[in-house]
Every structure is written in C-alpha cells, then in structure tokens.
Amino acid sequence: MYTIEMAYAHMRSMQEQAHRSRVAKAATAGRRQDAGERRTTTSRTKKR
C-alpha cells in the first residue's frame, strides 16, 4: 500500500538529490574558474 508518508519521503529524497546535484555543479564551476578556465585542445579545434 502506497501512503502519503511514502510519497512525501520519495519527494523529499528527489529534492535532496537535486540539491546535491546543484551543489556539485557549483563546486565544479568554482574549481574550473580557480584553474583559470584551462582547457585541453583537440584536433578539431586546431584546424587552421
């Protein structure tokens, strides 16, 4: 039997997962900015 409490618990876990995802993306962006946006070039970008 699926109860309101189970639905609420599932909704809460999805919200927490989304929050962790946003925090991880922000942390990654912060590290990338601290590194000076260093990127490796590929053969596609080196066409002259």
Side-chain angles (χ1 to χ4, degrees), residues 32 34-40:
R32 216 176 282 137
D34 291 344
E37 292 289 334
R38 281 181 285 196
R39 291 183 151 196
T40 57

Side-chain angles (χ1 to χ4, degrees), residues 28-44:
T28 302
R31 281 196 301 268
R32 216 176 282 137
Q33 190 174 20
D34 291 344
E37 292 289 334
R38 281 181 285 196
R39 291 183 151 196
T40 57
T41 57
T42 64
S43 57
R44 270 189 215 153

Side-chain angles (χ1 to χ4, degrees), residues 11 20 22-23 29 37 41 43-44 46 48:
M11 180 189 71
R20 283 193 301 270
R22 284 192 297 273
V23 169
E37 292 289 334
T41 57
S43 57
R44 270 189 215 153
K46 287 185 178 180
R48 293 182 181 178

Side-chain angles (χ1 to χ4, degrees), residues 1-19:
M1 181 167 154
Y2 198 69
T3 64
I4 296 291
E5 290 82 7
M6 292 169 72
Y8 180 74
H10 181 66
M11 180 189 71
R12 190 76 187 126
S13 70
M14 289 191 308
Q15 287 175 337
E16 288 173 1
Q17 183 179 3
H19 176 70

